[in-house]
Structure formats: structure tokens, C-alpha cells
Amino acid sequence: MTKTSDLADVPAQQGVRRPPRPWRSRIVPPHRAWFVVAVTFVTIIGAAAFRSLPGLLIDPLHQEFGWSRGTIGLAVSINLALYGITAPFAAALMDRYGIRKVVAVALTIIAVGSGLTVWMTAAWQLLLCWGMLVGLGTGSMALAFAATVTNRWFTERRGLVTGILTAAAASGQLIFLPVLSWIVQEHHWRPAAVTVALAALAVVPFVWLLLRDHPADVGLAPYGAEKFVPKPAPVPGAARRTVDVLLSAARTGPFWLLAGTFAICGASTNGLVQTHFVPAAHDHGMPITAAASLLAVIGVFDVVGTIASGWFTDRFDARRLLAVYYALRGISLLFLPMLLAPSVHPPMIFFIVFYGLDWVATVPPTIALCRDHYGDDSAIVFGWVLASHQVGAAVVAFAGGMARDVFGSYDVVWYASGALCAVAALMALVIRRRGGGREVPAPAAG
């Protein structure tokens, strides 16, 4: 009698039917790296709640406290600037203390800062809570977090993963904007601030229990790697290393071009549209809930555009992708002042779709260029590039509020941002191509 175990070795030509394998043997579980991506995605969504709030609160705070839009814009500017400046230090702290600890502390700071705003009575308290505390917390949850996770857990599909994690912020905007705008309209702004605080706190146990710092922690190689990669030892001197990487990168041309283009990216997205689109639309008679819904729809198409950008980045020249993205964004912003009206009409829908596809599509190719030029320090370098993004956003968040106070309109800011995007497109093409390796000279020892 032929044993079942022997049938596997009998050629099919002999007419012997091989018994089917159990269904479990045909199912290959996904790599743990994709589970880490899912946890990171949800975490960034939770942190994105606060970033959905500033544009909704400009008018309510102005009406309740009499603060000028320039003062409120200054608080947003501090938040955006700290968001960027904190990012490279957070990346170094993740190398020193691990991703879980840094992210859990950051979420707690966001919750505290947002929660304290419900008791504020003076403008300096707005600057402290909304500007400084939440800025520090969200900065530690910035895209440098996504870059760190991608670099540690993946050697293949990095562009796609970067696009997915970048889209998480847009998904958070999609989830929270309609909810928060309804809360602000129906129950005033304080319940909205409490909602943000609770959303941040809810993610903390999720991060602590499910997120892992490195594939070696669970005995795996990074996704796409051919061999196991030991977990690197903690890197001491996080602050000094962060500064050393900056000084080293600052001696290279690609760093300044990437920083310049990303500063314009921040100016034309977070600083301008995310902060001032809702009040600008309201100036033209559009209800706040309708304007917030349009901003949320931008988030829908941003998810599609950013994931697609990650896929493109794995296949095409990142410099040319950046040039196309910035050029298209600039064109769309030049048309926006003519589209604002009391009601939503087809040309505005077209702008929302077109602009949404390009919202943060610039992130995957920017991270890819940092990785190509700066190797193992790319996450920290990208953190500094992100800092320039947020400085650009901070300048325009403040300037937009001042322009509205002085001119009674946002039009000049829309046109200026469109022109800046054309400059960014040209800067992206100037970045020299490099197939990989390390552009930055190693920091001096000692």
C-alpha cells in the first residue's frame, strides 16, 4: 500500500492523484510589518484630530474673546513651527528610547494641551496650550515618525508605505473635520477641544500594547530583506546627534533645495488652506459646516493621491514627480479666489478634487530623496526638512490672518502661494540625482 506521505513524491504523469493539502497550509500570514503599519496609521489618525481644529476655531475665538485673527494665527504659527522643529529631535529620541515610549508621551501632551484650552481666558494661554504644548506633542507624532517606521520595518515597498502613512493624517482630517465642525456649530468650541483631547488619550493604550520598535523585537527580518537584521543599540546623545546631522546635511546642496521646496509645500497646505480655507469661504457667505465638509473631502482625495504618489515614487524619478506636483498645486491656487461663493458649485468641487489629490503627495518623493542622499540619517534629515515645511506653514498661517485683518480678504495670499509653488517646481528639478548611498559626510567624533 502506498503511504500518503509517499504520494507527494510521485510525478503527476503516473496518474496518481495527490491528496489536497489542508487549507491552512495554503494561507501565508502577512508580514508583521504590515500590522505595524496599521497600528501606526491609526495612531497618526488619532493625533490628526487637533490638526483639524484650528481653522474651525478662528471665528468662534474671535467672537468670544475679541482676539484678532492675527493673534489667533500667531498661536497656529507657534504650533506649526514647533511641530516642525520637534520632529528631528523626536526621530533621534525614537532611536534612543524607542518608538512606543516617545509616541505615548507625545499623545499625552496633546491631550493635556487641548484639554487645558477649555479654561483659558487670555491670549497668552492660547499661545501656551494651543501653540506650545500641542505643537510639541504633534511634532513628536510628525511624519518623521512615519519615516522611522518605514526605514526600520521595510526594505521594499517603502514608497507605498510612506504614502499610506502620510495619508493617515488626511484620513484623520476626513474623520474629525465634519464631527468637530458640527460640535463647534451646535455646542460651541469647548466640547470640540475636549473631543480632541479624548481622541489622543484613546490611542495611548493602543500604541503601548500593539506597537513594536523593530522587527528584531519579534524575531523577524524587515519586509523584503533577505536576512535577519539585529536591532541596533540605543543611540545616546539624541539632541547632539540631531544637531550634528543638521550641520552635516547643511553642507550639501540637496538639503537646502529639499528644505526650500518643503517650506513652500507647508505654506500652501497647512499654513494656508488648512488654517484659512474655512474662514475664507465663510467670508463669501458659505456656512462653516459646508466649508469644513469641503476640507474633509480634500482629505478623501488626499488619501488616494498620497498612496498613488508612494506607488509612483517606487517607479519614477522623485525630482520630476515633485516638479509636477508643485506646478499643478500652484495652478489650482491661482484659480481659487474666483471659485469661492455662498454655495458649493461644480468648479469648486473640481478644485477640491484636483487640489486634494496633490495635498501631501509631495511627501513620498521627498522622503525618498532624503533616503537616497543621506542614508541611515535620512529620518532625522527629513525631520529637519519637515521643520522647514512647518516654518513655511507658520509664516503663512500668521501672514494669512494679518492679510485678512489689513485687506479684508485672503486673495493676495492665494495668489502669492500659487506663485511660490511655481518656484518650488523649478527647485525640485535642480536637485541632482543620486542612486543611493550617503550624501552627508559623517559628523566629527568627539
Side-chain angles (χ1 to χ4, degrees):
M1 179 181 293
T2 304
K3 296 181 180 180
T4 302
S5 60
D6 295 335
L7 293 177
D9 299 325
V10 177
Q13 291 86 337
Q14 295 183 12
V16 179
R17 183 178 181 183
R18 181 181 300 176
R21 294 182 180 180
W23 64 270
R24 291 183 181 85
S25 66
R26 298 197 298 268
I27 297 178
V28 179
H31 193 283
R32 179 65 178 266
W34 295 108
F35 181 76
V36 172
V37 168
V39 175
T40 305
F41 188 93
V42 174
T43 303
I44 295 175
I45 286 178
F50 185 85
R51 298 182 63 199
S52 302
L53 197 57
L56 302 177
L57 298 191
I58 290 179
D59 285 338
L61 292 177
H62 173 70
Q63 293 168 5
E64 178 171 339
F65 297 105
W67 300 333
S68 71
R69 290 177 176 84
T71 298
I72 301 170
L74 178 60
V76 178
S77 296
I78 293 173
N79 174 276
L80 293 173
L82 285 177
Y83 177 95
I85 294 171
T86 304
F89 292 94
L93 286 172
M94 288 176 189
D95 288 342
R96 177 68 178 87
Y97 298 105
I99 297 174
R100 283 196 306 169
K101 293 180 180 178
V102 173
V103 172
V105 171
L107 288 167
T108 303
I109 293 174
I110 293 171
V112 171
S114 182
L116 288 177
T117 59
V118 301
W119 290 289
M120 66 183 179
T121 57
W124 69 265
Q125 295 166 344
L126 175 69
L127 301 181
L128 174 64
C129 297
W130 194 355
M132 294 187 64
L133 288 179
V134 179
L136 290 172
T138 53
S140 300
M141 294 287 302
L143 292 173
F145 169 40
T148 300
V149 170
T150 303
N151 289 347
R152 290 187 182 186
W153 282 88
F154 291 83
T155 59
E156 294 181 354
R157 301 290 189 269
R158 282 176 166 174
L160 176 62
V161 173
T162 301
I164 292 172
L165 295 182
T166 303
S171 300
Q173 176 176 292
L174 167 65
I175 293 169
F176 286 106
L177 256 176
V179 175
L180 293 175
S181 65
W182 178 83
I183 293 174
V184 169
Q185 181 169 339
E186 298 296 328
H187 303 285
H188 210 43
W189 64 270
R190 286 181 176 84
V194 172
T195 301
V196 170
L198 294 177
L201 281 179
V203 183
V204 173
F206 189 72
V207 169
W208 192 257
L209 295 175
L210 300 178
L211 192 62
R212 291 295 178 266
D213 293 329
H214 195 277
D217 290 340
V218 290
L220 294 175
Y223 180 86
E226 297 181 355
K227 59 182 180 179
F228 181 80
V229 178
K231 183 177 181 178
V235 181
R240 180 174 179 178
R241 181 188 174 210
T242 303
V243 175
D244 286 344
V245 169
L246 170 63
L247 295 175
S248 187
R251 298 199 296 267
T252 66
F255 173 80
W256 292 107
L257 291 169
L258 288 169
T261 56
F262 226 41
I264 295 173
C265 179
S268 56
T269 53
N270 302 71
L272 181 60
V273 174
Q274 189 168 35
T275 303
H276 295 292
F277 177 82
V278 172
H282 189 56
D283 283 347
H284 287 76
M286 185 180 294
I288 291 178
T289 51
S293 297
L294 288 177
L295 204 55
V297 173
I298 287 178
V300 176
F301 289 95
D302 177 33
V303 173
V304 177
T306 306
I307 294 176
S309 177
W311 188 86
F312 290 145
T313 302
D314 287 330
R315 291 162 175 79
F316 301 105
D317 187 345
R319 303 169 307 152
R320 294 181 179 178
L321 289 176
L322 284 179
V324 171
Y325 296 157
Y326 285 121
L328 294 177
R329 182 186 301 174
I331 293 171
S332 66
L333 288 173
L334 292 176
F335 281 96
L336 180 58
M338 295 178 281
L339 304 178
L340 292 170
S343 60
V344 179
H345 46 85
M348 174 59 78
I349 296 296
F350 180 79
F351 167 82
I352 294 297
V353 173
F354 189 83
Y355 181 86
L357 290 171
D358 196 8
W359 176 269
V360 286
T362 56
V363 174
T366 300
I367 290 180
L369 288 170
C370 286
R371 188 182 303 119
D372 287 345
H373 286 278
Y374 303 105
D376 293 338
D377 287 335
S378 61
I380 297 177
V381 173
F382 177 71
W384 284 114
V385 172
L386 179 63
S388 71
H389 179 283
Q390 296 307 114
V391 169
V395 170
V396 172
F398 176 67
M402 291 294 295
R404 173 61 177 80
D405 290 335
V406 173
F407 301 109
S409 170
Y410 286 101
D411 288 358
V412 65
V413 188
W414 303 124
Y415 293 134
S417 295
L420 284 175
C421 287
V423 174
L426 295 176
M427 292 172 65
L429 293 175
V430 175
I431 301 172
R432 68 175 179 271
R433 188 170 184 173
R434 185 178 178 88
R438 181 180 175 85
E439 178 77 18
V440 183

